[in-house]
Amino acid sequence: MIAMDQFTYRPARDELAYTFGGRLPVAHVRSGDILRVHTEDCFGGLVRGPADLPSQVCRMPYLNPVSGPFFVEDAEPGDTLAVHIASIVPARDWGVSATFPYFGALTSTSHTATLQPPLDERVWVYDIDRAAGVVRYHATESEHTVDLPLDPMIGTIGVAPGGMESRSTIVPDHYGGNLDTPELRAGTTLYLGVNVHGAMLALGDGHARQGQGEACGVGVEIATMTTLAVEVIKGADTAWPRLETDTAIMSVGCARPLEDAYRIAHQDLTAWTVDLCGLQTLDAYQLISQAGRAPIGNVCDPNYTVLAAVDKALIPQSLPAYHDAHARLRNLAGARE
Amino acid sequence: MIAMDQFTYRPARDELAYTFGGRLPVAHVRSGDILRVHTEDCFGGLVRGPADLPSQVCRMPYLNPVSGPFFVEDAEPGDTLAVHIASIVPARDWGVSATFPYFGALTSTSHTATLQPPLDERVWVYDIDRAAGVVRYHATESEHTVDLPLDPMIGTIGVAPGGMESRSTIVPDHYGGNLDTPELRAGTTLYLGVNVHGAMLALGDGHARQGQGEACGVGVEIATMTTLAVEVIKGADTAWPRLETDTAIMSVGCARPLEDAYRIAHQDLTAWTVDLCGLQTLDAYQLISQAGRAPIGNVCDPNYTVLAAVDKALIPQSLPAYHDAHARLRNLAGARE
Amino acid sequence: MIAMDQFTYRPARDELAYTFGGRLPVAHVRSGDILRVHTEDCFGGLVRGPADLPSQVCRMPYLNPVSGPFFVEDAEPGDTLAVHIASIVPARDWGVSATFPYFGALTSTSHTATLQPPLDERVWVYDIDRAAGVVRYHATESEHTVDLPLDPMIGTIGVAPGGMESRSTIVPDHYGGNLDTPELRAGTTLYLGVNVHGAMLALGDGHARQGQGEACGVGVEIATMTTLAVEVIKGADTAWPRLETDTAIMSVGCARPLEDAYRIAHQDLTAWTVDLCGLQTLDAYQLISQAGRAPIGNVCDPNYTVLAAVDKALIPQSLPAYHDAHARLRNLAGARE
Amino acid sequence: MIAMDQFTYRPARDELAYTFGGRLPVAHVRSGDILRVHTEDCFGGLVRGPADLPSQVCRMPYLNPVSGPFFVEDAEPGDTLAVHIASIVPARDWGVSATFPYFGALTSTSHTATLQPPLDERVWVYDIDRAAGVVRYHATESEHTVDLPLDPMIGTIGVAPGGMESRSTIVPDHYGGNLDTPELRAGTTLYLGVNVHGAMLALGDGHARQGQGEACGVGVEIATMTTLAVEVIKGADTAWPRLETDTAIMSVGCARPLEDAYRIAHQDLTAWTVDLCGLQTLDAYQLISQAGRAPIGNVCDPNYTVLAAVDKALIPQSLPAYHDAHARLRNLAGARE
């Protein structure tokens, strides 16, 4: 039987983490626990208005803080950690976005290096209306205002990378991290391969919403109260992050160039489909080629993110994924609301 | 007043074209004309069953034939050709897909060259049920069968590239071509910059549907009867293909690596938004960063395709795009059904 | 016996070509012929001083003119055309380079699109001293002057691409074109697969020298008198351009991203080594991995260029490449000087 | 005055490090010290013959061990560490190379993921003749044997990455690491930005030689005795690794895709040239565009490596780089031989 403890974690400012790996745990949790985690925004809450230019009020490497890590009991290398996102509640009635010098898809960067000057640095403040379910955009140099759907997501979530590595929270990779995909919303279960004893789960970087690719490099950044349910799936390897919703399974690829992220995600989804339903590999490749979706996560972080997704209804799913962890955790979280 | 002629073009086999540019026109059309065009599938109709391996029954460069080109009267370099897709009707009750040696996203290719042998070449035949609106997939090495939504699209449509160039129909680029995006379905208006006198519009390569990225390199390939309405917008430059539907505007980028396709599309959509509604550039960049979609077209052709899309409702659109050509052509085509 | 005709071609201004393919031949030549070809610089000779900004004095697509095409008798698809560069003589005592808006490796471009303004456009005029064998650089905003070794090369040389295509001379690809590699100097033999009857050889875009990658997008551009010897090698396929000197063989890859150009070149050199000396494939891969050179050609053109090179002395060469065409053409050209 | 201590470090097997960062120092050194460091090969010495397949005898993450880290006294973030390579002596009379499953430039990989099976795994053993200065290649499936020049280099050298990160020794990045460039030979001075107190220098992964790009993913791997001289340059920032020899300066870029490595290196070399000699930026860009070399380091590691190099004689060098550290360390090391 799965235990059903619940606890709430609110990090003090100096408890925030800026890496995956290389940190001591802030708490221990067990399979079946419900975690309520306060997360700060990617600027550590320091950008609150047009005058708070990120490059002035923030200081490297103190960007993109995460809450955690949480030591998950019984999680060992070779296992998989299932993390169900039960809810993501914006903690404030505003969010911020910005341009940041030499960061984003439509500017040269530290890596796509040119001799051109950076774009102007600027801050946008959004109103968040939870009741109406909207995020309000305001243009800075004209009067245009428009409401966008509120669609909260966790930008950064992952486990320790293993191999004695410790990686900046700016980076997405095989262990999760700064995935920056809108698919990490409430109702989704994330599967991450465990690389170290205790897994060491951490999360942060909520977005009230973001466009596909997060073109300017920054979503509508928010602090959140995020509720998770976790479970260790013993003896299940997971090479790249995988997602499951009530209707779909998805694989995540993180790499540069962007086509490699696409390749990773689609190769993994093909293999997962083969594992789940016994389709032969080329048959699975063919089905995904016609039925698959490939939502872009980010085109701005040190690795870009692309997902490969297919509806469960389209594959002959004899075995539920990861022993049905998604359904179990969803129900568990629902029972605790 | 716009003329309202309608004509039907069915190419003889030896009239099919394999390039954009470098061909004499098969017919002349005028702004306001309705074209009903028969298109062959990408294999020229030669792949009809599992034994018809594409590399054996097809011969380079006689792949991906297009119908046309059509000389559009009054179209001059510096103008834009608007092409509204009124309907795409599958011409047969089957479609085919395949793996093709060293072509596709999950294989090494002639350009991502390795020392590995190719994947097996194989053909999948799909049933097309127009009444039910489904495309039926059959696994080749097991019994799995599943119905996918029928969602016909034109894979290849473009004008002459200009600059005295003539390009293989396998290639997508600034003049259109093998864009391979599901967004080119009925109801969409495509805007293409005119590069040569008469524009020289051609199209083919219908798909009953395809997944995002067209991972295996081949959609559910069909012959079609496609109905178009065309209009020349004088004095309007268009650098990259643009799409308009009743609800959204989209820009298309074609390039390698894939992030450059993303960059082109988003830079163009930002500029288009600025032009349409007077938002300042960074304000438009910000809005698209939060509200934009970035559907991947193909990750298999000589250039990859990514779109940038934003809903019209989200931008303060004072001026309809291209003098409202989308609405005019949609109505025109509707009136002629 | 090989014929030994020699002729000189000097194009009139309106004879210059701006594509490979899609042109009628300017002359017929035969195996064993010596061609003396005048070539214009990439700006058509219109940039002659600091005030001649390329974007103002040149007009697209009239950039990068080539002389030709030459119809090579007896050249058929499936054959290889060997072109030995006997000499490249600068036609003037000056050369020019420039920055060009949104072109080059250290700027955003039409494809690596950003929202940043372009770099300043500027012209550098170099003195060419053939007797001293130097090219003299002058800084524009300070007094620095320095002599660089004169190392003339042909930037653009190729045959018709086949497949009914016609490609801008700005592009490098499998048929040659704007390869922009310093290895195309006097003493080198270039092998190109023949794609159309007559091959349709053309060349231009001489550089007094260039750095590896041609970072700013423009070499030290010169008009030349270039002497070539040509030979058709019947029944020899060549997928990508290959080079041979007295000491080395080299394969050329043209693609984006740059690693694909590297992959193409190294896969081809591995295959060529296997063909020449019977090494098993992985043994050849290993030898090239330790002994190979990989000079970058360009990182600015629509396709980037990387070469893979290995010294002939290191491979157990039982068969001379292409029936010893390099030695034969070198001797032929030498006999005619 | 600079101290002139000298010490020798030979790691016990369990002292070897597999990350940059995240390790306690094995010794303290000071500016002016001479270090004699034993380094193991990338396989930890476990691959000694054709039967020792790396994937069987090695275990992740225990690959590519480095010796160190060395705490350099007085090194603080914002300083630069100069490391002069005085000599690299192969420790054994043999070296090994291999193909490794899904690693290398001419195979699909974990990131350029395809559905193809891996290449065969195979080991090549090379004889190293220090007296003759040669490395002897033996084909595995035929009789071919050939001597290549012995050109020892250090494949992996770096400092802690900072930002609380700890990175696998397989990775090259801004702090150095698995740069895999032949330019890191005896006589070269490497400049690395200091990111943490003490810099934490470590090195390993000697190659008897390698080709440009290290196509198969593995050089001629050797254990070495490497002699270094170190100096802290206070108050000098260094964003990316830089190299200096008696005749040239070079900047190193590490990134994917490969063109971004090229861009980083050339942007940095341009900036360095401007700093050293006062050329205006576009003048420096122009000079490097015509005079620069761009040797590829690796096209197989998690980041690829490209260098940008220019001869010192070509730039109007008023100020020696880093207060003439190269000359000082070279002389210091020479005095101690």
Side-chain angles (χ1 to χ4, degrees), chain A residues 112 164-168 260, chain D residues 112 164-168 260:
Chain A
T112 306
M164 297 162 284
E165 282 202 308
S166 167
R167 304 292 304 279
S168 161
D260 273 3
Chain D
T112 305
M164 296 160 287
E165 282 203 308
S166 167
R167 304 293 304 279
S168 161
D260 272 2

Side-chain angles (χ1 to χ4, degrees), chain A:
Chain A
M1 200 205 98
I2 292 175
M4 288 183 64
D5 282 322
Q6 176 167 340
F7 86 104
T8 299
Y9 174 70
R10 182 189 294 270
R13 174 152 300 274
D14 61 3
E15 283 177 344
L16 291 170
Y18 298 92
T19 57
F20 288 92
R23 299 273 304 192
L24 295 178
V26 296
H28 281 232
V29 301
R30 287 179 297 167
S31 280
D33 280 358
I34 306 290
L35 287 71
R36 294 166 53 88
V37 183
H38 290 262
T39 68
E40 221 352 314
D41 71 29
C42 74
F43 299 120
L46 298 175
V47 177
R48 293 168 166 269
D52 299 329
L53 295 186
S55 70
Q56 295 180 2
V57 300
C58 297
R59 195 161 52 92
M60 288 295 292
Y62 304 103
L63 273 175
N64 212 37
V66 289
S67 300
F70 304 102
F71 185 101
V72 185
E73 294 188 6
D74 206 31
E76 300 288 348
D79 299 338
T80 287
L81 181 66
V83 183
H84 179 74
I85 304 176
S87 69
I88 304 170
V89 179
R92 302 171 185 132
D93 62 358
W94 55 270
V96 286
S97 189
T99 45
F100 194 88
Y102 294 122
F103 192 75
L106 296 191
T107 171
S108 56
T109 68
S110 58
H111 284 71
T112 306
T114 77
L115 300 175
Q116 293 159 297
L119 298 177
D120 284 346
E121 190 172 2
R122 191 180 300 176
V123 170
W124 288 261
V125 180
Y126 287 77
D127 310 316
I128 295 176
D129 185 335
R130 286 177 50 197
V134 299
V135 182
R136 182 160 298 167
Y137 162 93
H138 302 273
T140 61
E141 301 207 354
S142 59
E143 292 303 305
H144 183 52
T145 292
V146 68
D147 285 349
L148 310 176
L150 178 65
D151 185 15
M153 54 169 275
I154 287 296
T156 303
I157 182 167
V159 294
M164 297 162 284
E165 282 202 308
S166 167
R167 304 292 304 279
S168 161
T169 52
I170 303 295
V171 179
D173 210 326
H174 64 93
Y175 58 86
N178 196 14
L179 299 172
D180 276 335
T181 166
E183 306 298 332
L184 281 167
R185 59 172 65 88
T188 297
T189 300
L190 169 66
Y191 301 103
L192 294 167
V194 176
N195 305 301
V196 304
H197 184 53
M200 307 300 277
L201 175 71
L203 64 149
D205 184 27
H207 298 171
R209 69 169 290 111
Q210 71 163 69
Q212 287 184 332
E214 204 183 2
C216 77
V218 185
V220 180
E221 306 290 333
I222 54 171
T224 79
M225 160 67 104
T226 296
T227 304
L228 307 171
V230 299
E231 181 182 333
V232 176
I233 294 119
K234 296 299 296 180
D237 251 348
T238 299
W240 287 91
R242 290 173 171 179
L243 275 59
E244 184 176 358
T245 66
D246 289 355
T247 57
I249 59 172
M250 311 182 207
S251 292
V252 182
C254 306
R256 289 191 180 194
L258 189 58
E259 55 263 40
D260 273 3
Y262 180 96
R263 286 171 177 139
I264 291 168
H266 284 76
Q267 195 261 13
D268 189 76
L269 184 66
T270 302
W272 195 9
T273 300
V274 167
D275 284 350
L276 285 180
C277 66
L279 273 185
Q280 185 265 356
T281 296
L282 290 186
D283 276 338
Y285 183 30
Q286 171 61 215
L287 180 53
I288 290 166
S289 294
Q290 309 313 338
R293 293 185 304 280
I296 294 177
N298 89 76
V299 190
C300 52
D301 296 327
N303 290 315
Y304 303 139
T305 304
V306 176
L307 278 69
V310 71
D311 286 346
K312 294 178 190 177
L314 302 180
I315 60 174
Q317 191 175 7
S318 47
L319 297 173
Y322 294 100
H323 314 308
D324 221 5
H326 169 70
R328 194 160 49 248
L329 290 173
R330 185 197 52 199
N331 294 339
L332 175 68
R336 300 289 304 194
E337 296 276 318

Side-chain angles (χ1 to χ4, degrees), chain D residues 199-261:
Chain D
M200 307 301 276
L201 174 71
L203 65 148
D205 184 30
H207 299 171
R209 69 170 287 111
Q210 72 164 68
Q212 285 182 334
E214 205 183 1
C216 76
V218 184
V220 180
E221 306 291 332
I222 54 170
T224 78
M225 161 67 107
T226 295
T227 304
L228 307 171
V230 299
E231 181 181 333
V232 176
I233 294 116
K234 298 298 296 179
D237 250 348
T238 298
W240 287 92
R242 289 174 170 178
L243 276 58
E244 184 176 358
T245 66
D246 289 355
T247 57
I249 59 172
M250 311 182 208
S251 293
V252 181
C254 306
R256 290 190 179 195
L258 190 58
E259 55 264 40
D260 272 2

Side-chain angles (χ1 to χ4, degrees), chain D residues 55-76:
Chain D
S55 71
Q56 296 181 0
V57 301
C58 298
R59 193 160 53 91
M60 288 296 292
Y62 305 102
L63 274 174
N64 212 35
V66 290
S67 300
F70 304 102
F71 184 101
V72 185
E73 293 186 7
D74 207 31
E76 299 289 348

Side-chain angles (χ1 to χ4, degrees), chain B residues 18-19 61-62 110-115 163-168 240 254-256 260 263-264 267 270 281 285, chain C residues 18-19 61-62 110-115 163-168 240 254-256 260 263-264 267 270 281 285:
Chain B
Y18 298 92
T19 57
Y62 304 103
S110 59
H111 285 70
T112 305
T114 77
L115 300 174
M164 296 160 286
E165 282 203 308
S166 167
R167 305 292 304 279
S168 162
W240 287 92
C254 306
R256 291 191 178 193
D260 272 3
R263 287 171 176 138
I264 291 167
Q267 195 259 16
T270 302
T281 296
Y285 183 29
Chain C
Y18 298 91
T19 57
Y62 304 102
S110 59
H111 284 71
T112 304
T114 77
L115 300 174
M164 295 159 287
E165 282 203 307
S166 167
R167 305 292 304 279
S168 161
W240 287 91
C254 306
R256 289 190 181 197
D260 272 3
R263 287 171 175 137
I264 291 167
Q267 195 259 15
T270 301
T281 296
Y285 183 29

